[in-house]
Amino acid sequence: MKIEHKTRENVRCLIIGSGPAGYTAAIYASRANLDPVLYEGIQPGGQLTSTNEVENFPGYPEGISGFDLMADLKKQALRFGTDIRIGTATQADFSAAPYKVIIDREKTIIADTVIICTGAAAKYLGLPDEQKYAGMGVSACATCDGFFYRKKKVAVVGGGDTACEEALYLASLAEKVYMIVRKPFFRASKVLQDRVFKTSNIEILFEHNTLGLFGEHGVEGARLIKRKGESDEEEVEIAIDGFFLAIGHTPSSTVFKEWLDTDEAGYIITEPGTSKTKIPGVFAAGDVADPIYRQAITAAASGCKAAVDAERYLLENGI
Ligand code: NDP
């Protein structure tokens, strides 16, 4: 589709996304006089705004709410002059520099550099109870929320590397960890599986699927179905205080996929150790390019790298 709109604007540095990566890129780009324009995207502040308490972001010894952390990052970006706007990238054309990005299907931004920080979203099972107990026992990030379940009982859904890592992390805090795995085997790497098998307070429920959650003032248990569809199918209940999803993430890269290399899951591939994509002047930072760490602090660090990479690109190309 040809993308020409009446409203066009030229910018030196376009940042797409407003999680820790986007705002950190904005702080660095503003301080380097790149006059960045940042579009906040669908969920201003990103995934962290739905996290209650962040206790592992360095510099906050007492912890900080995800909402407040993002508000502070935004304030810091504004302080140095970032032009922060409401809007979502709906289309891109990286066929030639300067690059075109369409915002909300109506405005064309012509950008010398583009920093993509659109993040990723955790996958959920799609059960109404996940919504009902959001922030009341349902979480998709053990590293973020596990600490609140010290000496309690929790369940982790999934059988991949993330699920095993999260279960191992939670097992070091919680009294008991159930793993709810839909297949009769793990998908995770052998080394992680072995560690899980050797951890005495992890109980693996192979061939189990979740039907729902229950509890009056938060999650108190889960209803599961064992060997669904088989002759010995059986419903079981487990008593838990926390229900952790670890069934994968979906990176928000659809708009850019046509132009950039992505892995099987859709994560944007960058040159190792940098934020450079295969298009010169287009950079990716944060969870959209990170299938492994996915932490606020690693996202922030990669946002910094992207701004520095953008600055160097402009300098090297005399723009
Ligand atoms: P994966 O896609 O690898 O695994 C997802 C798991 O969730 C699978 O066990 C899958 O089951 C299960 N699942 C998916 N949908 C449902 C559902 N609706 N109901 C129940 N179970 C479901 O995702 P991960 O996040 O674990 O890993 C993503 C990538 O990141 C992988 O390449 C992984 O290797 C990598 N990674 C590496 C780490 C490391 O090396 N330390 C750490 C974390 C991630 P099924 O198997 O039946 O499809």
Side-chain angles (χ1 to χ4, degrees):
M1 200 200 325
K2 197 160 180 267
I3 50 177
E4 295 298 338
H5 294 100
K6 284 189 195 127
T7 344
R8 293 163 70 99
E9 184 184 353
N10 293 288
V11 307
R12 290 187 81 205
C13 178
L14 172 66
I15 300 170
I16 307 165
S18 58
Y23 283 139
T24 306
I27 293 164
Y28 276 78
S30 296
R31 297 185 83 247
N33 288 335
L34 305 190
D35 303 321
V37 169
L38 180 150
Y39 278 94
E40 290 185 314
I42 294 166
Q43 188 183 10
Q47 293 178 73
L48 270 190
T49 49
S50 53
T51 301
N52 285 342
E53 191 76 0
V54 181
E55 293 185 327
N56 54 8
F57 199 93
Y60 295 95
E62 306 304 325
I64 181 166
S65 79
F67 188 86
D68 289 347
L69 175 59
M70 295 321 299
D72 278 353
L73 283 174
K74 180 173 181 174
K75 223 187 281 172
Q76 201 170 346
L78 285 169
R79 180 183 156 203
F80 296 111
T82 307
D83 183 347
I84 298 176
R85 302 175 183 176
I86 295 166
T88 302
T90 47
Q91 207 183 338
D93 179 352
F94 295 158
S95 55
Y99 306 111
K100 287 181 189 160
V101 175
I102 310 304
I103 305 297
D104 295 335
R105 293 191 176 77
E106 56 188 26
K107 183 179 170 100
T108 302
I109 300 286
I110 317 267
D112 293 321
T113 58
V114 180
I115 301 179
I116 302 166
C117 309
T118 42
K123 288 185 195 161
Y124 284 79
L125 296 170
L127 301 170
D129 286 342
E130 290 169 323
Q131 303 276 347
K132 183 175 168 190
Y133 294 104
M136 294 166 67
V138 173
S139 168
C141 179
T143 326
C144 316
D145 299 327
F147 200 63
F148 304 110
Y149 297 91
R150 270 168 300 164
K151 306 214 181 340
K152 296 192 173 176
K153 293 191 174 113
V154 297
V156 176
V157 186
D161 283 334
T162 303
C164 287
E165 280 199 341
E166 307 244 299
L168 289 163
Y169 176 72
L170 288 166
S172 67
L173 301 165
E175 179 195 323
K176 165 119 191 176
V177 179
Y178 293 100
M179 287 191 76
I180 304 168
V181 185
R182 66 179 173 185
K183 289 205 175 120
F185 51 84
F186 279 125
R187 179 199 284 245
S189 57
K190 178 91 174 51
V191 57
L192 281 173
Q193 290 192 31
D194 286 348
R195 252 181 249 160
V196 164
F197 286 129
K198 279 186 197 143
T199 304
S200 59
N201 62 339
I202 299 180
E203 181 177 339
I204 306 151
L205 304 174
F206 283 119
E207 294 183 272
H208 281 68
N209 279 282
T210 311
L211 294 173
L213 303 169
F214 56 86
E216 276 201 21
H217 307 291
V219 172
E220 290 171 14
R223 282 187 302 112
L224 312 177
I225 184 154
K226 184 180 174 185
R227 288 179 56 76
K228 192 177 172 201
E230 302 297 326
S231 54
D232 56 351
E233 173 185 300
E234 186 190 345
E235 271 194 42
V236 287
E237 283 188 0
I238 52 172
I240 49 166
D241 307 287
F243 183 77
F244 287 82
L245 282 309
I247 59 171
H249 283 74
T250 309
S252 308
S253 60
T254 316
V255 169
F256 313 102
K257 257 185 171 167
E258 182 184 348
W259 307 101
L260 306 176
D261 287 338
T262 54
D263 72 6
E264 285 171 359
Y267 288 94
I268 295 173
I269 295 172
T270 52
E271 203 177 283
T274 78
S275 66
K276 294 176 188 171
T277 68
K278 74 169 189 188
I279 307 269
V282 177
F283 308 92
D287 287 12
V288 74
D290 175 11
I292 296 176
Y293 301 105
R294 295 195 294 254
Q295 298 301 300
I297 191 66
T298 50
S302 68
C304 157
K305 282 186 182 179
V308 173
D309 287 340
E311 185 190 358
R312 292 199 179 143
Y313 168 85
L314 291 169
L315 204 67
E316 281 162 13
N317 290 278
I319 302 169

